[in-house]
Amino acid sequence: MNHRLHVALIAATSGLGGLLVGCGTKSDVSLTGNTPAQYSHVWVTVQAVWVNTSGTAGPDDGGWEQFSLSTPSTVDLVAENGGNLGSIASGLRVRAGTYSQVRLIPVDATAPLASSAQNAGAIYNFEADYVDSSGVTQQLPLELLNPDKGIGIPTSIKIPIGNVGVGLGGTGTTTGVPFGSTSGTTANPFGTTTGTTSPPLTSTTTGSTTSTTPNNSLAAALDGTVNLVPFTFATNSSGILWSAHATAAYDLSIAGGISGQLSLTNITTSTSGLPNIRVNAETLSADGSRWVVVSSTAVLSDGSFLLYPLATSSTIPLYYDVVIHGPDIATIIVKGVQVPRPASSNSVTSTSSTTTTLATSSRTYTVPTTTSTTTTPSVTTSGITSSANTNVNAVSIGTLTPRAAAGSPPTSYTANIATAPGALLPAGAVVSFYQTLGGQTEVPYVIESSPIDPFNQVLFYPQALSLGTVDSGTWSTNGTVTMVSAAPKEGAGTYLVAASSPGFSDGPLRLKVSVSPPKSGTATVVVPALTLESGATAGSLAAAVVATTPGKYDQGQLLLSHDGALVATASLDAVLTQGTGGIVTVPGLPTGTPDAVYYATVRAWKSTDPGSVQRQWYPQVIDLRTSTSGTIALTVN
């Protein structure tokens, strides 16, 4: 199972439970982003939003309320980072009720360029821009999987009874403003406004009385760290796939955040102007075997960062461990950061004893007594405004100064993966590199993660890993964070390596599956295959492939996806080369679970002209929820 929070949907609504009958308060939708430092722009364009009360409904099942935007909207995920949110729609007349799924319908890169994308300076509706090693900006189309079926996002959104005004209106490209900044008047985290009040308001007049009600606000956080999948094909040809992973949801009215500041003295920035440093909020996995990432963000050019939104609780304290990491710094881990609920007491129970037990996990942390640095944290509860016009509590972990990963260059090394013969990883797998703090009860933290090249079973970009020791300390609300510098259990520069993928159990964390600094070049580690998650059964798909013009293509790939996320691939070279077509079998598919609903996309090209690649997607559902085998006919035009 992939635990990383890739897409988070937030609803600022009242606490109504169950399905309600009646008019719902109007709802707005925005996007926030998180992208690797090498990207200067990641444009995404959306044309519709769907909602469903069923969390397991496929795009062809019933129960969807569908809202088409009057004009598509485009957001740059690089700009919408660190608490920025760009509006894509406003005034959805969603009926009151509890919704368990939201689906975003994108505009494919091959479709005519939307005006919002054109105005933003993009040349594709879905696009990734980066500066190559020669200093030249590359603008590549982001390839989507069955864009007509959308990106499904499990959630729990409660829409209260309210007044229904005008219908849904699309917006153009917006430039979000950070939480706490202003544009015109009131601070607006859902896009720049001038001379208006944030959030958007619905006014209703009855007789001589006028009431004003804020709209519900939904926001999707798209994590480009793992959703952007670079790959190679043919000979020296490459592309970027958008494989959307959606795993969690939040109610903005009870969400919180974690902020901080890094001193970036002597820290090198990337070509995008951002430091190559990222920050994770992590929680313990359900089985307590490892820490998993629930939110991730990039450090901004001024050294600030904001992890938002994060879940809070009204009954027991919710704690997160914050991991600040990058190849050129010594990793920093701040343990036990509590995120309070908005509009609630900010008092937090803490202890100065040598152990701290987290209520969410009942795990005990051993706090070392030797110190090297000290910082003073604080709790910020003002200056950050949600779309519901209520304070969002952002806990600050203070100002930290990262250490260089080593005393002199090199500060990092690169690592890549290999797979054992006949033991391939799922095409949608993400590989993570872990380290463990000293202490009997400590378990591994995710330090770095990267999606695999699904067609070559390697990392497109070898993962850069810090050679340094780790600074760690435990958070306190009114005291200090005592930082300790020490080598992780694995040793400085050594990492455990494991893969994860939707529909599969996480790979085991064993010392024999680890990577250490090589004498030269790039280190390589063999990553074991994954087993199906509990309750799933291995199944297969038989695809009957026919080319309408024999010889037009002689190479290709079949891609299977679920909710816009890549699940499996198969080569079409043999059936396209022989001209008459044939049967292609995709084995090892997770079946027998509510998520076993798949759709097919084909990439095909001529080997002598890889630039001729064409994409085609198919509307037929491959439903393996109650079957272990399926068939589909694929006509390649």
Side-chain angles (χ1 to χ4, degrees):
M1 181 183 299
N2 194 338
H3 298 283
R4 174 183 284 271
L5 173 65
H6 303 296
V7 182
L9 267 240
I10 312 102
T13 62
S14 65
L16 297 180
L19 183 62
L20 302 176
V21 178
C23 297
T25 304
K26 293 194 299 180
S27 301
D28 303 327
V29 180
S30 299
L31 295 180
T32 185
N34 172 31
T35 54
Q38 67 263 33
Y39 292 97
S40 55
H41 296 287
V42 175
W43 301 108
V44 300
T45 303
V46 177
Q47 62 180 323
V49 179
W50 300 0
V51 295
N52 201 308
T53 58
S54 170
T56 60
D60 290 312
D61 293 336
W64 290 101
E65 289 191 48
Q66 303 179 11
F67 302 90
S68 296
L69 279 64
S70 56
T71 58
S73 296
T74 301
V75 168
D76 180 9
L77 297 184
V78 175
E80 309 305 340
N81 178 40
N84 293 347
L85 293 146
S87 175
I88 61 172
S90 60
L92 283 77
R93 294 184 293 183
V94 183
R95 289 181 296 174
T98 299
Y99 294 88
S100 299
Q101 190 178 166
V102 172
R103 191 168 293 266
L104 303 178
I105 308 300
V107 183
D108 191 70
T110 60
L113 190 64
S115 59
S116 58
Q118 183 178 28
N119 293 338
I123 60 176
Y124 304 101
N125 295 305
F126 255 66
E127 175 182 312
D129 297 357
Y130 67 96
V131 179
D132 64 19
S133 58
S134 301
V136 178
T137 299
Q138 302 291 333
Q139 293 180 271
L140 296 182
L142 272 176
E143 297 189 13
L144 296 169
L145 298 163
N146 292 91
D148 57 322
K149 303 301 180 182
I151 300 169
I153 304 165
T155 188
S156 180
I157 297 174
K158 298 174 182 179
I159 304 296
I161 294 176
N163 300 300
V164 178
V166 298
L168 173 66
T171 65
T173 303
T174 61
T175 302
V177 290
F179 287 99
S181 64
T182 61
S183 177
T185 54
T186 306
N188 179 15
F190 281 79
T192 301
T193 60
T194 303
T196 60
T197 301
S198 175
L201 302 175
T202 299
S203 296
T204 303
T205 302
T206 303
S208 60
T209 302
T210 300
S211 62
T212 304
T213 305
N215 291 2
N216 299 317
S217 295
L218 286 65
L222 305 181
D223 188 355
T225 306
V226 290
N227 288 352
L228 291 165
V229 184
F231 62 88
T232 58
F233 69 102
T235 303
N236 298 323
S237 295
S238 61
I240 303 180
L241 178 73
W242 180 266
S243 179
H245 298 78
T247 59
Y250 296 98
D251 180 341
L252 189 59
S253 66
I254 55 173
I258 299 173
S259 66
Q261 180 74 43
L262 300 183
S263 173
L264 297 180
T265 304
N266 299 323
I267 299 296
T268 302
T269 59
S270 72
T271 53
S272 67
L274 298 177
N276 193 12
I277 304 174
R278 308 195 65 78
V279 185
N280 299 341
E282 302 190 14
T283 61
L284 280 170
S285 60
D287 62 3
S289 67
R290 71 197 73 198
W291 290 87
V292 295
V293 179
V294 296
S295 182
S296 181
T297 192
V299 174
L300 301 180
S301 58
D302 64 355
S304 64
F305 65 85
L306 174 63
L307 289 158
Y308 180 84
L310 293 170
T312 65
S313 173
S314 61
T315 54
I316 59 173
L318 284 188
Y319 293 84
Y320 299 89
D321 282 17
V322 176
V323 179
I324 303 170
H325 58 98
D328 299 320
I329 68 168
T331 297
I332 300 172
I333 298 177
V334 181
K335 306 195 300 184
V337 181
Q338 182 185 344
V339 180
R341 279 199 167 198
S344 63
S345 172
N346 294 319
S347 62
V348 181
T349 301
S350 62
T351 177
S352 59
S353 63
T354 57
T355 60
T356 301
T357 301
L358 299 192
T360 53
S361 62
S362 298
R363 297 191 68 87
T364 301
Y365 289 90
T366 301
V367 182
T369 56
T370 57
T371 65
S372 60
T373 58
T374 299
T375 63
T376 303
S378 62
V379 178
T380 301
T381 59
S382 62
I384 298 176
T385 306
S386 77
S387 65
N389 216 17
T390 59
N391 285 335
V392 173
N393 288 356
V395 174
S396 173
I397 62 173
T399 299
L400 302 170
T401 301
R403 293 189 293 115
S408 61
T411 60
S412 64
Y413 68 98
T414 57
N416 214 319
I417 67 166
T419 54
L424 299 181
L425 293 173
V430 171
V431 172
S432 295
F433 297 80
Y434 298 79
Q435 288 185 322
T436 313
L437 295 177
Q440 185 176 3
T441 62
E442 296 290 350
V443 296
Y445 289 88
V446 176
I447 308 299
E448 304 288 354
S449 293
S450 180
I452 68 169
D453 178 334
F455 311 117
N456 299 283
Q457 291 282 303
V458 296
L459 303 182
F460 184 89
Y461 296 109
Q463 180 64 59
L465 298 170
S466 171
L467 283 167
T469 55
V470 177
D471 290 348
S472 65
T474 300
W475 181 80
S476 173
T477 57
N478 50 14
T480 60
V481 177
T482 302
M483 304 299 292
V484 179
S485 298
K489 283 184 180 180
E490 297 79 12
T494 297
Y495 298 79
L496 304 178
V497 185
S500 59
S501 188
F504 294 82
S505 296
D506 292 336
L509 292 170
R510 299 191 298 260
L511 189 58
K512 66 178 182 180
V513 186
S514 62
V515 63
S516 297
K519 293 182 179 179
S520 62
T522 296
T524 302
V525 57
V526 176
V527 180
L530 300 181
T531 59
L532 293 173
E533 67 180 354
S534 177
T537 303
S540 63
L541 172 70
V545 180
V546 176
T548 56
T549 306
K552 182 177 181 180
Y553 308 114
D554 58 5
Q555 291 185 335
Q557 296 143 341
L558 168 61
L559 300 84
L560 296 183
S561 62
H562 170 76
D563 284 346
L566 183 63
V567 176
T569 64
S571 173
L572 299 179
D573 292 1
V575 294
L576 292 176
T577 299
Q578 66 188 24
T580 57
I583 302 295
V584 174
T585 301
V586 185
L589 291 174
T591 68
T593 68
D595 291 333
V597 178
Y598 307 112
Y599 292 89
T601 299
V602 164
R603 306 178 76 252
W605 65 92
K606 190 73 172 178
S607 58
T608 56
D609 182 18
S612 65
V613 64
Q614 296 292 317
R615 294 167 48 242
Q616 184 175 345
W617 48 91
Y618 301 82
Q620 299 94 325
V621 61
I622 304 166
D623 192 343
L624 299 180
R625 287 176 285 194
T626 59
S627 174
T628 58
S629 62
T631 61
I632 189 172
L634 302 178
T635 301
V636 180
N637 296 322

